Every structure is written in C-alpha cells, then in structure tokens.
C-alpha cells in the first residue's frame, strides 16, 4: 500500500522511534511545531477519524494508552495537547490516522 505511515511502521522509511507496542507506533515529527512533537499511529491502516467504527475503535483506545505512557516516560507533567486532523478542512495531509502529541511550550487556545 502506498502509505507514508505504513512504510514508517514497516521500517521502509526511517523514523525516530519514541514508543512502540503490538498495536501502536510513535515517532518524532519531521517538522516539529513544539519542542516536543511526536506522531502516534495505530499500526493498522485507518484513513482518518471519519473511518472509526466499533470494529477498529479499540485501536484508538490503544493510541490513548500510548499517549499516557509517552507523557509519563518523557516527564510531560506540565501538560500536553493531542491533535487529530481529519480530512481536507481539518488539515490532514497524510491519509493514515495519526495523533500529534505536542508539549513543552504554552499552546494557544483556540488553535486558530
Ligand atoms: P497532518 O498535517 O495532521 O496530516 O500531519 C502530518 C504530520 O506528519 C506533519 O506534522 C508532518 O510534519 C509529519 N510528517 C510527514 N512526513 C513525515 C516523516 N517522514 N517523518 C515524520 N513526520 C512526518
Ligand atoms: Zn497506512
């Protein structure tokens, strides 16, 4: 499948791994928007949040278990933000669902 993030999971495209388990892979964003910027993905290819159903929602739970674990391992006790862009208007540029974990700066709200 011609998917950038599936290729990263397969090791065909290099990435800086931050966390991995049976269901989830996390790696440093190549263009960080905060001092700490990690992308977390389910290893299984899901296009976007618009494709979540009772068949695959357990993988999103696994993503959030990884969020908590990565936050603990990296000392993000001051807080963080998780962002999931969906579709064209949502600013999604890679068609494999992913969650940005941003931290170590004061993040503006609303995001604009
Ligand atoms: P989005 O705009 O929400 O689809 O986010 C896609 C993210 O993937 C962006 O923050 C990119 O900087 C990041 N990205 C694209 N290619 C790579 C790559 N090869 N390695 C790490 N991050 C990447
Ligand atoms: Zn994929």
């Amino acid at each position: 499948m011609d998917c950038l993030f599936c290729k990263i999971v397969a090791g065909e495209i290099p990435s800086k791994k931050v966390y991995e388990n049976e269901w989830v892979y996390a790696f440093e964003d190549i263009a960080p928007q905060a001092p700490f910027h990690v992308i977390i993905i389910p290893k299984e290819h899901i296009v976007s949040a618009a494709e979540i159903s009772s068949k695959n929602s357990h993988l999103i739970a696994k993503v959030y278990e990884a969020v908590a674990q990565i936050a603990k391992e990296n000392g993000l006790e001051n807080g963080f933000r998780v962002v999931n862009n969906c579709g064209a208007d949502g600013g999604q540029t890679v068609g494999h669902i992913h969650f940005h974990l941003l931290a170590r700066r004061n993040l503006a709200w609303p995001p604009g």
Side-chain angles (χ1 to χ4, degrees), residues 43-63:
K43 289 182 172 178
E44 184 177 311
H45 184 85
I46 299 169
V47 173
S48 76
E51 307 290 323
I52 300 302
S53 70
S54 58
K55 287 200 168 60
N56 58 20
S57 58
H58 63 287
L59 296 172
I60 306 308
K62 292 295 178 191
V63 166

Side-chain angles (χ1 to χ4, degrees), residues 1 8 10 13 16-17 30 38 46 63 67 83 93 98 105:
M1 187 183 309
I8 283 180
I13 290 173
K16 289 189 180 164
K17 179 165 88 173
I30 207 168
V38 166
I46 299 169
V63 166
V67 165
V83 174
T93 61
H98 52 278
R105 74 170 165 86

Side-chain angles (χ1 to χ4, degrees), residues 1 3 5-6 45 95-96:
M1 187 183 309
C3 168
F5 287 172
C6 281
H45 184 85
H96 180 133

Side-chain angles (χ1 to χ4, degrees), residues 2-105:
D2 195 25
C3 168
L4 176 65
F5 287 172
C6 281
K7 287 179 179 164
I8 283 180
V9 169
E12 291 163 18
I13 290 173
S15 65
K16 289 189 180 164
K17 179 165 88 173
V18 173
Y19 180 84
E20 181 175 18
N21 65 27
E22 188 179 340
W23 307 278
V24 169
Y25 188 74
F27 53 99
E28 290 180 12
D29 196 292
I30 207 168
Q33 301 302 309
F36 185 95
H37 187 171
V38 166
I39 299 284
I40 307 170
I41 61 175
K43 289 182 172 178
E44 184 177 311
H45 184 85
I46 299 169
V47 173
S48 76
E51 307 290 323
I52 300 302
S53 70
S54 58
K55 287 200 168 60
N56 58 20
S57 58
H58 63 287
L59 296 172
I60 306 308
K62 292 295 178 191
V63 166
Y64 271 87
E65 288 176 25
V67 165
Q69 187 62 28
I70 293 166
K72 273 193 199 82
E73 287 176 5
N74 290 276
L76 305 184
E77 55 275 327
N78 214 36
F80 54 81
R81 181 170 297 162
V82 179
V83 174
N84 168 236
N85 297 326
C86 178
D89 282 0
Q92 183 177 7
T93 61
V94 179
H96 180 133
I97 194 170
H98 52 278
F99 297 78
H100 301 257
L101 176 54
L102 301 146
R104 297 209 183 109
R105 74 170 165 86

